[in-house]
Amino acid sequence: MLTYICSFVVVVQSLALFVETRQEKRNVLFIVADDLRTSLGCYGDPLIKSPNIDQLASKSLVFLNAFSQQAVCAPSRTSMLTSRRPDTTRLYDFNSYWRTHSGNFSTLPQYFKSNGYFTASVGKVFHPGIASNHSDDYPYSWSIPAYHPASFRFEKAKMCKGEDGKLHANLLCAVNVTEQPGGTLPDLESTDEALRLLKSRANSKQPFFLAVGFHKPHIPFRIPEEYLKLYPLDKMSLAPDPDVPKLLPAVAYNPWTDVRKREDVQKLNVSFPFGPIPIDFQLGIRQHYYAAVSYMDAQVGRLLSALDGMGLTDSTMVVFTSDHGWSLGEHGEWAKYSNFDVATRVPLIVFVPGVTADHNTPTEPAFPFIDVFSGSERSFQYDKVVRNMVELLDVFPTVSALAGLRGPKHCPEVSLQVDLCVEGKSLAASFKHKEKKKNAERLAFSQYPRPADTPQENSDLPDLKDIKVMGYSLRTWDYRYTLWLGFNPDTYQVNVSDVHAGELYIHEDDPGEDTNVYSDFDHSQMMRKMTSLPQNLSLQSRMELQFRYLTAAMKTSRGAV
């Protein structure tokens, strides 16, 4: 009887602790960089100087293999913030608002707002314009109208001083900030506004969800010129794999047309679509991209140190991520617009006070600002990482659970009529149990549309009506497997029998995805098997089965040898 009573008390205490935890809603500081690949110290880049983000990573859980669902801004951000794949949001370009175009899907900030949070957006969180109803999805997602820095309107103007002393709309655009309109830049303004909002909410009993979207390192590289000093040109190196991958189908190549439109790039007269940029200019692009990352890192540092200064660190979860990556000459490509790792892989760093790190003490701040110019750098210890594949779809359910909210249910196979559900998976268990081994069952899916089988002017960002081919890409520990399939933009239907091309990269031998071995294997029998599958099976399930069948055949053939 005594044993029973003791057990009952333990259960009641555990239940009480659980309820208390659920009631203690954490604040959320949600930081999104623009076009940021995993060029960070905490992701193993030996050249980058990102001390503030690395410091955050040292107290966080770091997901080393997180992937976006489409490597372009509006579709990726909409997908992440609704936890719906692009095939559900039906947003593949910048020209539709999901609530009227596909379904009235709830968003991550909307879910927090409905649970009593004050929600606010600063900078580029949703993609502005039609894709978010010219309002950044206000008032659905935000308690107050979204803030956009006034100086952003000059971003595409002739603001870059050229060698001729005149102003140009260049790609490489390091500037003297004091000479810019208002003596400022967009990310500086966004940080100032975010700090003001943090200060206004510091003593409020209402929890907050503050999303801050930095514009850098998105092009043009209009950044404070002093950051170039961190990366002398003679210390820069080229991409290790600057050539187009062997046997790459032409449909997979992105011709980086937005980069070509900049005045300084136009002067190079680079042939379309495969002509290489001159080496010295390549080094300049890489220098400016890295400098832009360090500039953005300093803004992250300002935000994090403010949490300490306002006494918010112990009550605020911090999420840091990006909408997609960016090619820096790998595969002969620049920008995003592809299914390669460099374009789809993103940083995903999550700090949960009292979980990923001990609670803060007044004498030892968690996030003291680190001045990158002081020479002080922060090393990152790989003791809290997840190496298995995850998706940006997983952010919505994960952040909800970690903040103390009951996570939304997983979506049914067809969910256009379901307002609140998620297609991603909650990663909350990763914060309780250390990853033991690789899980071959964990997959990440990305996709990219094309207007034709060969590169043309609109290949990077075709309008919906022009999409004829959709490239679906599956990433596992050991492989990237991509099929380019016929697509009907009028019905949003993909024809699984209409295979335009395929890619297969074996990461154990080819981590840079430089040799396509898809043609090494006979796919005819496998395709026949796929056509016999039920018609209502999702494309992701089809591709997974197809991939499992293919790799099993590969192992059999290797074993026979």
Side-chain angles (χ1 to χ4, degrees):
M1 183 65 177
L2 182 60
T3 301
Y4 172 80
I5 293 174
C6 291
S7 299
F8 178 75
V9 170
V10 170
V11 170
V12 171
Q13 289 176 335
S14 300
L15 181 60
L17 180 61
F18 174 78
V19 172
E20 181 183 0
T21 302
R22 300 290 293 194
Q23 290 176 342
E24 291 180 354
K25 296 177 180 177
R26 292 187 175 99
N27 301 316
V28 179
L29 176 58
F30 190 85
I31 306 173
V32 187
D34 202 355
D35 288 17
L36 176 64
R37 54 194 260 158
T38 54
S39 290
L40 296 170
C42 54
Y43 280 82
D45 191 310
L47 181 62
I48 194 71
K49 297 180 186 299
S50 53
N52 292 287
I53 297 173
D54 294 346
Q55 179 174 239
L56 171 66
S58 69
K59 296 179 180 294
S60 303
L61 186 63
V62 179
F63 295 88
L64 295 179
N65 286 296
F67 293 88
S68 64
Q69 275 47 75
Q70 188 177 327
V72 70
C73 301
S76 175
R77 289 166 184 264
T78 300
S79 176
M80 172 174 64
L81 292 168
T82 61
S83 190
R84 309 288 183 110
R85 297 190 186 279
D87 278 348
T88 302
T89 66
R90 294 176 173 175
L91 180 65
Y92 312 105
D93 55 20
F94 291 6
N95 303 322
S96 301
Y97 178 45
W98 78 91
R99 293 189 189 273
T100 56
H101 180 65
S102 52
N104 188 32
F105 308 139
S106 295
T107 69
L108 171 62
Q110 180 183 0
Y111 187 60
F112 274 76
K113 184 182 175 186
S114 69
N115 278 275
Y117 276 70
F118 170 84
T119 61
S121 172
V122 173
K124 185 178 178 181
V125 180
F126 284 101
H127 193 280
I130 298 174
S132 57
N133 201 33
H134 298 284
S135 66
D136 297 78
D137 199 43
Y138 173 79
Y140 292 100
S141 290
W142 312 112
S143 303
I144 57 176
Y147 170 88
H148 289 284
S151 61
F152 184 73
R153 68 179 181 272
F154 302 106
E155 195 73 353
K156 295 182 180 180
K158 295 179 181 291
M159 304 303 301
C160 322
K161 188 174 292 185
E163 295 178 356
D164 57 3
K166 298 179 180 179
L167 295 179
H168 298 273
N170 285 345
L171 176 69
L172 310 185
C173 191
V175 299
N176 181 333
V177 176
T178 62
E179 297 176 355
Q180 295 297 292
T184 189
L185 291 173
D187 285 350
L188 298 175
E189 284 191 283
S190 290
T191 305
D192 290 342
E193 175 63 13
L195 293 176
R196 186 192 70 78
L197 281 170
L198 281 174
K199 186 177 181 179
S200 72
R201 308 305 301 180
N203 297 317
S204 174
K205 294 182 179 180
Q206 182 185 21
F208 64 78
F209 180 103
L210 174 59
V212 183
F214 291 117
H215 287 91
K216 294 304 163 218
H218 193 289
I219 64 172
F221 300 121
R222 190 164 73 108
I223 58 173
E225 59 190 359
E226 58 266 27
Y227 284 90
L228 291 184
K229 299 175 184 177
L230 298 171
Y231 304 99
L233 273 174
D234 60 356
K235 302 294 183 182
M236 299 303 298
S237 59
L238 298 172
D241 50 351
D243 299 323
V244 175
K246 297 176 182 177
L247 301 179
L248 180 77
V251 68
Y253 186 81
N254 82 280
W256 36 278
T257 50
D258 62 339
V259 170
R260 295 174 189 271
K261 293 176 182 177
R262 313 295 165 165
E263 290 184 33
D264 49 353
V265 178
Q266 288 179 348
K267 292 180 180 178
L268 302 175
N269 293 317
V270 178
S271 62
F272 184 92
F274 298 110
I277 289 177
I279 288 178
D280 60 340
F281 202 90
Q282 288 190 41
L283 292 172
I285 296 177
R286 291 172 67 88
Q287 175 199 35
H288 279 71
Y289 183 91
Y290 274 67
V293 174
S294 292
Y295 161 56
M296 182 271 299
D297 174 83
Q299 310 319 306
V300 173
R302 291 174 63 197
L303 287 180
L304 296 178
S305 62
L307 291 182
D308 284 341
M310 298 177 191
L312 291 170
T313 304
D314 282 347
S315 58
T316 304
M317 174 169 54
V318 180
V319 181
F320 177 85
T321 190
S322 170
D323 50 1
H324 45 71
W326 214 79
S327 298
L328 280 171
E330 295 88 356
H331 313 122
E333 297 184 333
W334 303 88
K336 48 257 188 179
Y337 313 121
S338 82
N339 282 321
F340 286 116
D341 258 34
V342 288
T344 56
R345 186 170 170 234
V346 296
L348 179 57
I349 301 168
V350 183
F351 164 77
V352 185
V355 176
T356 60
D358 294 333
H359 284 287
N360 188 34
T361 62
T363 56
E364 294 184 17
F367 303 118
F369 179 79
I370 302 175
D371 183 357
V372 70
F373 296 102
S374 69
S376 173
E377 297 186 21
R378 180 61 59 103
S379 61
F380 174 69
Q381 300 299 322
Y382 284 89
D383 57 347
K384 294 188 290 292
V385 299
V386 171
R387 291 182 169 84
N388 282 304
M389 308 299 120
V390 301
E391 302 177 291
L392 285 185
L393 287 174
D394 303 332
V395 169
F396 187 157
T398 302
V399 173
S400 300
L402 293 173
L405 306 182
R406 187 179 301 277
K409 295 181 179 179
H410 197 268
C411 291
E413 196 72 42
V414 178
S415 63
L416 292 176
Q417 304 304 318
V418 183
D419 292 354
L420 179 58
C421 69
V422 293
E423 293 183 359
K425 301 175 182 176
S426 174
L427 307 173
S430 302
F431 292 78
K432 299 178 183 178
H433 309 291
K434 191 172 183 178
E435 186 178 67
K436 295 181 180 179
K437 59 181 180 180
K438 73 176 184 180
N439 182 352
E441 301 300 315
R442 291 306 303 263
L443 312 173
F445 289 93
S446 304
Q447 62 186 98
Y448 210 85
R450 295 284 190 235
D453 287 334
T454 55
Q456 52 190 52
E457 288 293 332
N458 65 337
S459 286
D460 287 346
L461 193 60
D463 291 339
L464 174 62
K465 62 181 176 58
D466 298 323
I467 298 173
K468 299 296 186 294
V469 188
M470 188 70 74
Y472 292 93
S473 192
L474 176 157
R475 178 69 158 87
T476 73
W477 263 85
D478 301 312
Y479 303 94
R480 178 172 288 284
Y481 175 56
T482 304
L483 287 179
W484 294 90
L485 305 173
F487 182 83
N488 185 333
D490 296 322
T491 62
Y492 310 100
Q493 295 299 309
V494 61
N495 186 346
V496 296
S497 300
D498 182 19
V499 181
H500 288 233
E503 299 170 76
L504 179 63
Y505 303 99
I506 304 175
H507 273 250
E508 182 180 2
D509 306 321
D510 180 24
E513 301 176 345
D514 297 316
T515 302
N516 178 19
V517 298
Y518 179 84
S519 61
D520 289 357
F521 304 94
D522 181 9
H523 299 269
S524 57
Q525 185 178 0
M526 176 178 58
M527 293 306 296
R528 284 195 296 271
K529 280 182 172 287
M530 297 307 296
T531 57
S532 65
L533 291 173
Q535 292 298 312
N536 61 350
L537 194 65
S538 71
L539 180 69
Q540 285 73 30
S541 297
R542 283 178 173 274
M543 278 199 69
E544 181 176 355
L545 287 171
Q546 190 165 340
F547 168 74
R548 302 296 180 198
Y549 185 85
L550 174 63
T551 52
M554 289 169 54
K555 292 175 183 177
T556 301
S557 62
R558 286 184 174 184
V561 176

